[in-house]
Amino acid sequence: MPVTKTTTTTKTTSTSVAVDGTATTTTKTVSHSTYANTDPRSIKQRLDEDGYVVMDGLVSDEQMITLRDACDRAVAKARNGEWKLRRVVGVQFPPWGEEAEDCWGVQHIMHPDMHEPEFAKWYGSDKLLDAVCEILESKEPELQLELFNLLINPEHKDFCLEWHRDDVRPEVEAEEEIERLSIPHYGTQWNTALYDDSCLYIIPKSHNRIRTKEERDININEPLSLEMPGAIAVHLKAGQTVFYNNNIMHRAVYDKSKKRATLHGCMGTVKGGPHRARNILQHGVKWMREERFKETLPARLLPLYANLISLANSNEGKDLGYSQ
């Protein structure tokens, strides 16, 4: 597909003063490219038809610097054990537990104890919210604040996720698979790469059909296989975002030698009800009820936060289980 490439470079300068009065000036430079997509289809049409769509322009040059810095601090906390809410190497789905020798993700990066306000600022940024509204064909007051996590490279050993759909178990028969795939999502999720990222593999258009016999066999018996028919790697340049249907057939390959800091989030709408409840509340979001979390949110996110709390209240005491 023809694209037009544009590269921009941004420099920021900061000065720190030591106890002895010595001043140190630090300059950071960030360069990243944007690619103009010539596909005539709308964002929503591409997502509906292909199961995914890659977008540029959701991270500004200034945001790229502040988000990378925030990610470095969050990753350090996760790796040294200070932050226990992690995706643990060797475990694909929640619950992950608190003990880990290595991790492939940092959970709940908007948590007030993380002390990184840049994450909530970006989650509530104009361009991201506008993109989500377009994809969901919703007005902003109908949106629902949901999950925001960070996907990273393991420190000690490579790790792979198996082929899966987020909300359909591999062993289901065709009849149940059809039924589960027909449930409207009322939400979207995305990966935003702060460094070049080719970890995600997908089977385009697999989100709206049952698996073929060969796909099902690999899904169940060889779930780590890279020989899945029709599979492609999603290559993201720093600053690009892929929105994807979480029931597309997908997997991920985590290379410990290549730095990864990819923002992994989702938003839904108030129409989602019980379906969104299980998808979101299984990740443990009781901390979001705390007033101190609400106080950290940008004003624009407060209506979305109120919608999430309403969802949690309406499902209080229910055993929603896990998607997998």
Side-chain angles (χ1 to χ4, degrees):
M1 181 180 298
V3 296
T4 301
K5 177 180 177 180
T6 303
T7 300
T8 58
T9 300
T10 299
K11 291 184 178 181
T12 60
T13 301
S14 60
T15 301
S16 59
V17 180
V19 176
D20 62 3
T22 303
T24 302
T25 300
T26 303
T27 300
K28 291 188 176 182
T29 302
V30 171
S31 297
H32 70 278
S33 302
T34 57
Y35 298 79
N37 196 322
T38 59
D39 191 320
R41 296 176 297 169
S42 69
I43 294 169
K44 178 171 172 53
Q45 187 178 4
R46 280 182 276 164
L47 181 58
D48 287 347
E49 294 177 0
D50 300 337
Y52 76 107
V53 61
V54 175
M55 290 185 64
D56 285 293
L58 301 187
V59 182
S60 70
D61 297 334
E62 293 79 8
Q63 288 170 329
M64 180 68 74
I65 293 171
T66 58
L67 287 170
R68 282 180 173 179
D69 287 346
C71 286
D72 284 345
R73 293 187 291 267
V75 171
K77 290 177 183 177
R79 286 178 174 165
N80 68 23
E82 179 182 349
W83 191 254
K84 299 292 187 182
L85 304 175
R86 301 166 291 184
R87 298 191 177 199
V88 176
V89 167
V91 182
Q92 180 156 329
F93 296 110
W96 285 286
E98 294 189 352
E99 299 305 317
E101 294 182 0
D102 205 353
C103 56
W104 57 276
V106 185
Q107 292 292 96
H108 306 313
I109 56 177
M110 290 193 293
H111 196 298
D113 290 342
M114 181 61 81
H115 302 296
E116 296 293 351
E118 291 302 322
F119 292 131
K121 288 180 184 177
W122 183 77
Y123 187 92
S125 61
D126 293 348
K127 289 183 178 180
L128 178 61
L129 290 176
D130 289 346
V132 171
C133 284
E134 181 177 352
I135 286 169
L136 297 181
E137 294 184 326
S138 296
K139 296 180 179 179
E140 194 170 309
E142 300 172 335
L143 297 184
Q144 184 169 271
L145 185 149
E146 295 185 343
L147 303 175
F148 196 27
N149 305 309
L150 174 63
L151 304 178
I152 66 174
N153 56 294
E155 188 175 21
H156 302 300
K157 66 176 183 178
D158 297 340
F159 178 60
C160 296
L161 299 183
E162 299 177 353
W163 284 106
H164 66 284
R165 305 185 195 269
D166 282 1
D167 203 36
V168 183
R169 296 176 188 269
E171 66 274 9
V172 300
E173 298 297 336
E175 185 175 334
E176 183 179 350
E177 189 172 6
I178 293 171
E179 180 182 348
R180 296 297 293 273
L181 292 177
S182 67
I183 298 173
H185 268 59
Y186 299 113
T188 189
Q189 73 180 41
W190 66 86
N191 289 355
T192 297
L194 301 184
Y195 301 90
D196 292 359
D197 186 334
S198 298
C199 293
L200 179 65
Y201 287 75
I202 64 170
I203 305 176
K205 304 182 186 294
S206 62
H207 61 297
N208 56 12
R209 62 166 176 80
I210 64 171
R211 294 159 295 175
T212 66
K213 185 177 183 298
E214 186 176 6
E215 289 170 348
R216 189 175 191 276
D217 181 64
I218 293 175
N219 192 189
I220 294 173
N221 299 310
E222 298 180 78
L224 294 177
S225 174
L226 285 175
E227 302 302 318
M228 180 70 83
I232 64 169
V234 179
H235 300 292
L236 298 178
K237 294 295 183 180
Q240 288 188 312
T241 298
V242 58
F243 287 91
Y244 61 101
N245 185 305
N246 69 352
N247 275 335
I248 198 170
M249 285 289 295
H250 64 286
R251 63 164 307 195
V253 177
Y254 287 73
D255 182 347
K256 71 178 189 296
S257 68
K258 185 171 183 180
K259 184 167 185 175
R260 188 187 198 202
T262 293
L263 303 172
H264 179 59
C266 63
M267 288 187 195
T269 74
V270 294
K271 301 174 184 178
H275 176 72
R276 296 307 296 174
R278 182 175 68 168
N279 198 45
I280 304 309
L281 302 181
Q282 66 175 321
H283 290 269
V285 293
K286 290 183 179 179
W287 59 271
M288 286 184 168
R289 291 181 176 273
E290 299 177 16
E291 188 68 22
R292 65 194 185 104
F293 169 61
K294 181 181 177 181
E295 291 172 353
T296 67
L297 295 174
R300 191 170 177 181
L301 285 179
L302 293 178
L304 284 68
Y305 171 78
N307 291 338
L308 172 66
I309 296 305
S310 177
L311 176 74
N313 288 341
S314 65
N315 287 276
E316 185 76 28
K318 296 179 182 179
D319 181 10
L320 299 172
Y322 292 96
S323 296
Q324 294 287 341

